[in-house]
Amino acid sequence: MVLLLSGVMVLVGPAQPAAAHAVLVTADPAPGSVLGGSPRQVVLTFSEPVRPVTGRLQVLAPDGKRITDGAPRSDGNTVVIPIRIPDRPLGTYLVSYRIISADSHPVGSGYTFSVGAPSATVPQVDSDGQHPSVTAAVLATKYVGYVGVVLALGPAMLLALLWPTRVSRRPGELMVRSGLLLIGVAAAAGLWVQAPYSTGSRLWEVSFADLRAVLTSGYGLALLARLVILAAVAAAVAPLLAGAGGKRRGLTLIALALGGLGTWPLTGHAMAAPVPAVSIVADTVHIAAMGVWIGGLLLLGTVLLRRAHPRVLGRILPAWSRWAAVSVCWLVLAGIVQALMETGTVAALLTTTYGRLVLLKVALVLMLLVAAGYARRLVNRWSTVRTRQLAGTVAVEVALAVVALGVSAVLVQTTPARTAAVEAQALGQDSFAQTLTNSLYTLQFDIYPVQLGEYNTVHAYVYTPEGAPVRVEEWSMTTALPTQDVEPVTAPLLPIDDNHAAGSVAFPVPGEWEVRFTIRLSDIDQATVTTTVAVR
């Protein structure tokens, strides 16, 4: 109930900045802006703390040459890329970046800005997208890891607590050991795959430096911890599988299992959730409940229902049914908390890929619950039921679970709905750039973003009509909305350089805003230019 209440509070509480899969919030120079001179650095601000990917942040000059000058610097949400002034500064520049989000997912994109005037063509950089081999490998490692949890957890509990003495333990032991092996393979493969996943290269293009960066990251440390815990579990599990583990050994293995399962949320969305502690607990509970329920069903359907005597099953099945009911309750509860954390709003379930995948998983779980409910009815009247009936129902449950695990593997690699909403909002923040000319000067300015409210940043540059920078004695900017009788409001501009000033402008209501610049070059030389900016 505490987990569920925490998730509900996240949904109904005030909207928080989305984390997981960082998105670019602001940039200086702004996307699409036109500057008067080449900047000495590019500053990127993201929606959450990020880590730059070495060699994947660059700025290309209009002639296509890379002008990155030194290593990028990062400080929390901000990344600074130092650049040099190119030999041919006029034209369009390309900023290309790739960073690692707080939840270990890489994000790559780019944008352009111009100096003087846009170029006829834009400099090109090699594709920074994800290679298909890496995409497939990431999904495969996630899926194999989940299958390993299923094969190891549920069968281990059945063998330790409910296994009949006259049925061979070998199939169950083989299933558990196979599960542990798959978890280890998935974790080791995950360490390798994360390197090209982070750098955007191909699956086989991995350097020692790339692997070292992964191993020293939070993601790599979590996977290494999983492998260490896995080795401890493998060394201690044999007596328990043989039915002679003892209470102390059993408690030790439970603690190790919980520690190992706790590494899953440390490598995913939970690390960047609005309330990370609740999300990590919910994710761990969700995976544990899934492993107990589905893994137990698998061993039950493939071994016990085929080999155990009906009278023995009459003693085992009611106990297993209670276990399954508890597991299902925790599975659903933790799943609700996760969905509330990552979707944020009900509308996001229908408008985002993440939300639609959540709905698909909910549909699969509902079908699983229907099949489980029918199986429970069969167990309650076991004396009149044929084993074949229950075996068929269990087969349906396992088949649905296999599909649900596949959806889960895709879901954990999909941008959460909360972040998708922020990304859509960021993409919807238009910029406005224009050049205004009169007999005294030429004014180039840009506003980014152009949106309702405050914090719309203005940069203005002044040149002579021939294009040479000119010293400005006094800057003045006003905004007005004549169609709605909004009188002119002064927006202060702070001089940055002789011909460059910056400031912030507010657009409290939508409409066609009149923006007026008055520039004084000397005691007697002053002129005003006016334009219209559409604010939606």
Side-chain angles (χ1 to χ4, degrees):
M1 291 305 297
V2 171
L3 287 173
L4 181 59
L5 181 60
S6 300
V8 172
M9 291 303 294
V10 170
L11 179 63
V12 302
Q16 300 292 328
H21 287 59
V23 294
L24 183 66
V25 177
T26 61
D28 183 20
S33 60
V34 180
L35 310 182
S38 180
R40 296 306 302 266
Q41 64 182 21
V42 173
V43 182
L44 309 175
T45 303
F46 295 89
S47 59
E48 64 179 74
V50 298
R51 177 170 57 88
V53 177
T54 304
R56 289 291 177 166
L57 287 90
Q58 57 184 319
V59 179
L60 301 186
D63 59 2
K65 293 183 179 180
R66 182 171 177 171
I67 57 173
T68 308
D69 187 18
R73 305 185 303 273
S74 63
D75 182 12
N77 298 35
T78 303
V79 176
V80 178
I81 309 173
I83 60 177
R84 59 180 175 81
I85 298 178
D87 298 332
R88 298 178 181 178
L90 299 181
T92 299
Y93 292 62
L94 174 66
V95 178
S96 176
Y97 62 87
R98 191 172 187 85
I99 50 88
I100 305 298
S101 302
D103 64 350
S104 78
H105 290 91
V107 176
S109 188
Y111 71 90
T112 62
F113 66 90
S114 302
V115 171
S119 306
T121 59
V122 177
Q124 299 294 318
V125 67
D126 292 338
S127 174
D128 203 20
Q130 201 67 63
H131 192 269
S133 63
V134 178
T135 301
V138 168
L139 294 176
T141 56
K142 298 291 184 183
Y143 189 80
V144 169
Y146 289 145
V147 171
V149 171
V150 166
L151 292 176
L153 199 55
M157 291 190 67
L158 275 178
L159 286 171
L161 301 175
L162 291 179
W163 202 257
T165 57
R166 295 188 178 184
V167 177
S168 172
R169 289 176 171 268
R170 184 172 178 76
E173 293 176 357
L174 180 61
M175 193 173 289
V176 173
R177 296 187 187 282
S178 298
L180 295 177
L181 177 62
L182 290 180
I183 294 173
V185 169
L191 290 171
W192 176 277
V193 172
Q194 183 70 9
Y197 185 55
S198 299
T199 61
S201 56
R202 300 179 183 181
L203 183 62
W204 50 89
E205 295 175 346
V206 176
S207 67
F208 177 76
D210 296 336
L211 284 176
R212 183 174 58 187
V214 172
L215 292 173
T216 56
S217 67
Y219 181 92
L221 293 175
L223 287 185
L224 289 174
R226 187 182 304 172
L227 288 171
V228 171
I229 294 173
L230 187 67
V233 170
V237 76
L240 190 71
L241 296 182
K247 184 177 181 180
R248 178 176 298 180
R249 185 181 294 269
L251 292 176
T252 301
L253 281 171
I254 291 175
L256 287 172
L258 290 175
L261 292 172
T263 63
W264 259 267
L266 298 181
T267 60
H269 295 153
M271 287 299 293
V275 188
V278 174
S279 189
I280 289 172
V281 172
D283 204 359
T284 303
V285 170
H286 191 73
I287 295 173
M290 175 269 297
V292 171
W293 181 28
I294 306 304
L297 278 177
L298 185 62
L299 185 57
L300 185 72
T302 56
V303 179
L304 282 184
L305 290 179
R306 296 171 179 269
R307 303 185 181 184
H309 192 278
R311 286 197 301 271
V312 175
L313 290 175
R315 299 290 299 275
I316 295 175
L317 291 177
W320 159 252
S321 183
R322 290 190 293 272
W323 287 11
V326 172
S327 298
V328 168
C329 288
W330 281 106
L331 178 75
V332 173
L333 175 62
I336 291 173
V337 172
Q338 288 177 300
L340 294 176
M341 288 276 191
E342 303 297 350
T343 54
T345 63
V346 176
L349 288 172
L350 301 175
T351 58
T352 64
T353 301
Y354 187 93
R356 288 188 284 269
L357 285 171
V358 168
L359 291 177
L360 175 58
K361 187 174 178 180
V362 168
L364 290 169
V365 171
L366 288 176
M367 288 188 284
L368 265 168
L369 293 178
V370 170
Y374 179 70
R376 187 172 177 84
R377 289 181 57 189
L378 294 179
V379 170
N380 290 337
R381 50 187 182 87
W382 178 247
S383 59
T384 62
V385 173
R386 294 182 179 179
T387 304
R388 184 179 301 177
Q389 289 179 268
L390 184 58
T393 305
V394 170
V396 171
E397 290 185 70
V398 171
L400 290 171
V402 169
V403 180
L405 288 178
V407 174
S408 297
V410 176
L411 191 63
V412 297
Q413 293 302 118
T414 303
T415 301
R418 283 181 176 272
T419 302
V422 171
E423 188 171 16
Q425 181 182 7
L427 292 174
Q429 294 177 348
D430 297 328
S431 62
F432 183 90
Q434 198 173 55
T435 301
L436 303 174
T437 302
N438 59 33
S439 59
L440 285 180
Y441 59 79
T442 295
L443 173 72
Q444 291 184 339
F445 78 96
D446 64 84
I447 304 175
Y448 178 83
V450 179
Q451 63 179 7
L452 291 176
E454 301 178 356
Y455 310 117
N456 298 282
T457 302
V458 181
H459 284 272
Y461 302 85
V462 174
Y463 303 88
T464 64
E466 292 75 28
V470 61
R471 180 183 178 85
V472 176
E473 295 293 335
E474 184 178 356
W475 301 81
S476 177
M477 175 184 177
T478 61
T479 58
L481 189 59
T483 58
Q484 298 188 30
D485 298 325
V486 177
E487 296 297 322
V489 177
T490 300
L493 293 176
L494 176 67
I496 304 298
D497 206 344
D498 286 346
N499 74 321
H500 175 202
S504 180
V505 61
F507 298 114
V509 294
E512 298 290 328
W513 283 80
E514 180 183 274
V515 178
R516 183 185 299 266
F517 292 90
T518 300
I519 308 298
R520 183 170 66 84
L521 304 181
S522 67
D523 291 341
I524 60 174
D525 294 322
Q526 177 176 301
T528 299
V529 289
T530 305
T531 189
T532 300
V533 178
V535 180
R536 294 186 291 274

